[in-house]
Amino acid sequence: MSEQLQPQQVGFGTARGCEAAIHATRSFVLSNDNSNSVLVKIDLKNAFNCVDRDVILKEVLDLAPFLYPFAYQCYSGASNLYLKDSLILSQVGAQQGDPLGPLIFCLAIQKAIVALNSPLNVWYLDDGTIGGSPEAVIEDLKKLIPALREIGLEVNPTKCELYACGLVPDASSRSLEELLPGIKKVNKASLSLLGAPIFPDGVSAALQTKKEALVAVRGHLGNLSSHVALTLLRNCFATPRMTYILRTSPSWLFVDDARELDGQLKLTLELVLNVELSEAQWVQAALPVRYGGLGIRRVEDVGLAAFLASSFGAEGLVTRIFSLNGGISPVPFVAEALARWSVTVPGDLRPHNPAVQREWDDVRSKHVYSSLVSGASGADLARLKAIAEPESGAWLHALPSPQLGTMLDNDSLRIAVALRLGAKVCEPHRCGCGAWVAENGHHGLSCRRCAGRFPRHHSINEIVRRAMVSANVPCVLEPPGLSRTDGKRPDGLTLVPWRRGRCLLWDATCVSTFAASHLGQTMRCAGSAAETAAKQKHVKYSALASAYDFVPVALETAGPWGVEARRLFGEIGRRLRERGGDPRSGSYLVQQVSIAVQRGNAAGIMGTFEPGTMQGGLF
């Protein structure tokens, strides 16, 4: 790319460029507070549809000649637009849906922008912001307006905005209003750029707006399946909708507003899941899935990490913007954010790459998770260690689809979430076997009279069989004529060699993480119950080990897998990728197994109720 393209003057639609423009603008207005400087936001009328195509081709040829043959093919002639049955020939503007549209638009306005002399000159596509002394801004507007008109663009004065950093002479105000008649004057609370508040005065209102949007969507989520609603809440309506504000604004300064928003988020989550969360359970639920949470992130947890990552990521570009215009100004609020970080995270641990939000988030999440583990004991300790294993949260990443069999019904989802968070699963009652079932429901995970074990066992083996067939490995379940010393048959056998010329023999089991016989182990090490079960399988199938490659598929109800099960599914996933080409094949397989385990857990717990208190099954 040509060195003539200056990043502060041409925005290519990147998120980092957008954030740099906001940080640079905030730095300018704060450093010029109470001066006579002004800030003008420029809006263009229907910009992408009006820019002259001859100008586009000329600038592409000059600044990015390697793109010219393709651009010439697309823009040298008229393109077709359709209005019902009518055909309209379009001869101006970037074509609708063209992925190069933002780039070629920026190239078209490049010369008009680089001619400006204001200290602040940042553009994000067709949104421009110039700032400086009234005289400098007026002179730039006198050059910019006719220059844009020459390439087919018109400034929309009534949508432009003016912010005065201090007292502006009357003559300058009149000149600005003459150049941009009807320009809107804004104050600190209403000044925003690309949707983000510039001054802290506007952050509280922005958070309140996000809270109101969350409350508005709550009723609609209640009309959906719980699994679908949870997926939408986590990936669309909760923190993802607020990430932009959190990255570009010092939201961490507004603790009360953040907690109020988080309170509404907690209430929404409880309504979606039909699970009551204590404060500790809410803290865990707000962790990323990889740290044992549900991925429903709190503003209080994410705000500081998001702002720091954005600030460090845009720092170089912000510095370049001001250095190219005669000065250097740091990103505002970074020092205050780092001071808050040192208080939040003991030891002031910082990531190796401060421009990556996930690395800041990992530091804090590890600290929160460690705090939860250090304060837990017994079954809670075993649970917290188990759910941090990679396979334990795979079901949370699955897209809920009844056609693919990846959607949990409302009861199964409620039980899966309650077991993961240590919340109340049911009222204490007596199981059909005579044992007492506590409110955590753990007895149902190991009770031999509950119905969940057999459907889960069948479902896991069927998933393995289908995956083998998809990987072009013929296999059979419960192979006839093949049994261990006690007469029981293994779960499955491949009909062609799997490794070293031997056919694969597998047998699946899913043991309770919280059973009294396993709890001492699982409290010390996650997955130890599965490893013990795998060793027992090897002993039972020792007579067949000389002729077959035996692999125990040992899983736990809380999610962890045995080492050999991980290797087997990893190999199946590799073969699926080689055959189908989808790099996510292995992940989908793990998700299906994880969902089968959760369904089995729910069926086991629901099976502890007396006959006649419920109808139907969960499989």
Side-chain angles (χ1 to χ4, degrees), residues 459-503:
S459 180
I460 292 172
N461 284 309
E462 183 61 23
I463 290 171
V464 176
R465 186 194 68 80
R466 291 200 307 267
M468 289 285 191
V469 172
S470 298
N472 202 30
V473 180
C475 62
V476 61
L477 295 179
E478 296 187 0
L482 189 65
S483 62
R484 62 194 194 194
T485 54
D486 59 0
K488 293 184 177 181
R489 289 181 292 179
D491 287 333
L493 171 71
T494 64
L495 301 179
V496 296
W498 178 260
R499 186 178 59 174
R500 296 186 298 124
R502 293 183 175 187
C503 293

Side-chain angles (χ1 to χ4, degrees), residues 50 68 96 101 149 167 265 295-296 372 413 451 482 502 529 594:
C50 294
Y68 183 74
Q96 296 287 338
R149 189 176 294 121
L167 294 176
L265 180 58
I296 305 293
L372 292 173
L413 182 73
L482 189 65
R502 293 183 175 187
S594 182

Side-chain angles (χ1 to χ4, degrees), residues 99-141:
L100 278 180
L103 172 61
I104 60 178
F105 175 83
C106 292
L107 295 179
I109 65 174
Q110 169 75 0
K111 287 184 178 178
I113 294 172
V114 296
L116 306 182
N117 298 315
S118 295
L120 179 70
N121 179 21
V122 290
W123 288 73
Y124 184 78
L125 300 177
D126 59 333
D127 291 303
T129 306
I130 57 177
S133 65
E135 296 76 17
V137 171
I138 290 170
E139 288 300 317
D140 280 346
L141 288 174

Side-chain angles (χ1 to χ4, degrees), residues 289-499:
V289 174
R290 60 185 179 277
Y291 290 106
L294 300 181
I296 305 293
R297 310 310 312 282
R298 300 190 303 179
V299 173
E300 186 178 357
D301 295 336
V302 179
L304 189 58
F307 182 81
L308 284 169
S310 174
S311 299
F312 279 97
E315 183 179 26
L317 186 52
V318 172
T319 301
R320 188 175 179 188
I321 289 173
F322 286 106
S323 63
L324 290 172
N325 289 285
I328 298 177
S329 182
V331 176
F333 299 110
V334 173
E336 295 90 334
L338 290 174
R340 177 70 63 86
W341 179 263
S342 63
V343 175
T344 304
V345 179
D348 196 18
L349 297 176
R350 298 185 186 181
H352 297 293
N353 186 355
V356 178
Q357 181 176 331
R358 174 168 175 156
E359 294 197 13
W360 288 96
D361 194 30
D362 276 346
V363 173
R364 177 178 171 82
S365 297
K366 286 178 182 177
H367 168 66
V368 174
Y369 174 75
S370 298
S371 300
L372 292 173
V373 171
S374 62
S377 61
D380 281 335
L381 179 58
R383 173 181 59 83
L384 288 169
K385 288 190 174 182
I387 60 176
E389 292 296 294
E391 298 83 12
S392 299
W395 62 275
L396 282 164
H397 294 299
L399 290 178
S401 169
Q403 290 76 20
L404 298 177
T406 56
M407 187 167 78
L408 295 170
D409 63 81
N410 292 356
D411 276 330
S412 296
L413 182 73
R414 177 184 62 81
I415 292 172
V417 169
L419 289 174
R420 185 173 179 84
L421 301 180
K424 181 178 178 179
V425 175
C426 59
E427 284 293 324
H429 62 281
R430 194 165 297 280
C431 177
C433 70
W436 187 252
V437 182
E439 66 177 19
N440 57 25
H442 289 173
H443 169 75
L445 304 178
S446 57
C447 178
R448 293 191 174 276
R449 292 189 58 179
C450 293
R453 296 187 301 117
F454 299 106
R456 175 175 57 204
H457 186 267
H458 173 76
S459 180
I460 292 172
N461 284 309
E462 183 61 23
I463 290 171
V464 176
R465 186 194 68 80
R466 291 200 307 267
M468 289 285 191
V469 172
S470 298
N472 202 30
V473 180
C475 62
V476 61
L477 295 179
E478 296 187 0
L482 189 65
S483 62
R484 62 194 194 194
T485 54
D486 59 0
K488 293 184 177 181
R489 289 181 292 179
D491 287 333
L493 171 71
T494 64
L495 301 179
V496 296
W498 178 260
R499 186 178 59 174

